[in-house]
Amino acid sequence: MDDWPAPEPFLRGTAWWDEDRPVRADPADLARLPWDTAARAQLPTGVRLEFTASPGTRAVALRYRARVPEAPRSMRELSHCFSLWQGGRCVREVLAPPAEKSEVVIELPAPGKGNDGPFTVYPPESQAPRITGIRALGGELAPAPRRPRWLVHGDSITEGWLATRPALTWPATAGRALGLDPVNLGYAGSARGDLALAQQLASLPRAALVTLAFGTNCWSGVPYSAPLLYETVRAFLSLVRAGHPGTPLLLVSPVLRPEAETNANPLGATLADLRTAMEEAARDHTAAGDRLLALLSGRDVLGPEHLADGLHPNDEGHARLARAVASAVRDHWPELPHRPRPAQDTTGAHAAANSG
């Protein structure tokens, strides 16, 4: 049988579409974006499948295609692994090689109370797999109920570097805790407050929550002075707010980066200076009347032991950042829809997952 239903009804974490392919920037407006942002936007970071299963469903089968790697990539050589999650628990992992056309079968938990889902499959991201079909083995699948959407913009830390699994990035973890559908709009090496991107974020359908978490690439890469970043953040906030006037908006200033905290960039700004400028911009924006804007200072969320390479969080770092963001959201907007805190979210732990 070659009956492979289209995956689109099951896909979550999507922003824009380029024909039938999910992308993370407006395909009709790429010319205004920096090249690195446009390039990262082609990767389906954060896109996943969510479904329920009828009694008797033994497994879910996925058809996919992925780039075949030509050479090792120093920053993110992750296992090409499909992870099956139920609530806050990883219940299965299946390794499947990247290929131009392939299929993978993921067994569901044994029949029993609560084993109808909802389930989430996190595809591997390192080779940009595109899911082209989904079907049940021994039963039927249905798309899981949609959760309120959460737009999460940032740099490589938001994109998920260097979490060992897509499910362990801080947006994915916080999304599970809050009962939201995180749309990962993190762009590694970029996210420097580009105003064209702010307009693209504003053009998306209204979300339940918007989070902005950039700034570290304004110390390196393209250097900013503190006054320049202050004005950029004010403008970025104004443009995003124009498209999401009644949406809670959380600004997260840069997390710890030891090499940058006291060392000045070519424009004389340390990361500490840039963080202060970003936080002052948020406070002034609130004072000017934006009562739905909140600030989370990133400086003390992570310690050096939570960084995998001095910049990007390890799994525990991503988990800590997720907890800080989820706590800030609950504190500022307790009325936002969210599920009760799970008894245990096994971020960073895979011993219970079965590999096939």
Side-chain angles (χ1 to χ4, degrees):
M1 183 176 68
D2 196 39
D3 180 19
W4 286 89
E8 283 80 1
F10 298 86
L11 293 179
R12 302 293 183 266
T14 59
W16 291 271
W17 293 83
D18 187 0
E19 296 182 351
D20 60 349
R21 181 171 65 97
V23 293
R24 298 186 301 126
D26 186 348
D29 191 30
L30 295 181
R32 293 199 302 145
L33 299 182
W35 72 267
D36 48 4
T37 304
R40 299 304 300 181
Q42 304 308 302
L43 304 179
T45 303
V47 176
R48 61 208 179 278
L49 300 109
E50 297 187 356
F51 59 91
T52 58
S54 67
T57 305
R58 303 188 311 275
V60 57
L62 304 177
R63 175 171 283 181
Y64 68 95
R65 64 170 65 105
R67 287 197 303 256
V68 177
E70 297 178 357
R73 301 199 303 165
S74 60
M75 287 301 296
R76 201 174 186 196
E77 279 305 300
L78 304 180
S79 299
H80 205 260
C81 173
F82 290 79
S83 299
L84 177 71
W85 282 64
Q86 186 175 16
R89 187 169 66 98
C90 180
V91 296
R92 195 86 69 213
E93 290 192 336
V94 179
L95 298 176
E100 292 184 0
K101 184 177 180 180
S102 190
E103 300 171 9
V104 62
V105 173
I106 307 169
E107 293 184 6
L108 300 185
K113 185 177 180 181
N115 279 354
D116 57 348
F119 298 104
T120 302
V121 172
Y122 292 88
E125 295 175 353
S126 59
Q127 301 303 326
R130 178 183 169 193
I131 307 300
T132 59
I134 177 173
R135 69 185 184 193
L137 299 183
E140 295 182 353
L141 304 178
R146 291 189 177 273
R147 294 174 287 160
R149 296 209 325 157
W150 172 26
L151 305 181
V152 194
H153 169 61
D155 46 39
S156 57
I157 296 171
T158 296
E159 195 178 71
W161 293 36
L162 290 164
T164 59
R165 297 288 191 275
L168 303 185
T169 67
W170 74 261
T173 303
R176 289 191 298 271
L178 293 168
L180 298 175
D181 173 12
V183 179
N184 191 313
L185 301 174
Y187 310 98
S190 186
R192 298 175 291 264
D194 303 289
L195 299 187
L197 186 57
Q199 290 180 304
Q200 290 197 13
L201 295 178
S203 75
L204 288 169
R206 181 176 171 181
L209 175 67
V210 175
T211 297
L212 307 176
F214 62 91
T216 195
N217 289 332
C218 298
W219 178 79
S220 58
V222 177
Y224 279 55
S225 66
L228 176 58
L229 185 58
Y230 173 90
E231 296 297 343
T232 298
V233 171
R234 290 296 302 271
F236 200 97
L237 288 170
S238 295
L239 290 172
V240 171
R241 179 57 80 205
H244 301 274
T247 298
L249 198 162
L250 178 67
L251 183 73
V252 183
S253 64
V255 298
L256 175 70
R257 185 175 179 179
E259 66 165 340
E261 294 297 332
T262 58
N263 291 324
N265 67 14
L267 290 182
T270 66
L271 186 60
D273 297 331
L274 296 177
R275 185 183 295 112
T276 297
M278 193 171 190
E279 293 175 358
E280 288 179 350
R283 294 188 184 100
D284 289 349
H285 202 81
T286 299
D290 193 339
R291 302 304 180 187
L292 286 174
L293 172 65
L295 170 67
L296 171 61
S297 178
R299 171 59 180 85
D300 297 324
V301 173
L302 305 181
E305 69 276 16
H306 304 125
L307 302 176
D309 60 355
L311 169 59
H312 302 96
N314 53 27
D315 284 347
E316 177 57 26
H318 276 281
R320 288 177 64 91
L321 184 52
R323 289 194 293 269
V325 169
S327 178
V329 170
R330 291 190 180 103
D331 289 345
H332 289 287
W333 303 291
E335 73 283 359
L336 266 183
H338 63 267
R339 295 181 302 194
R341 293 173 178 82
Q344 181 180 14
D345 190 322
T346 56
T347 51
H350 297 280
N354 298 315
S355 297

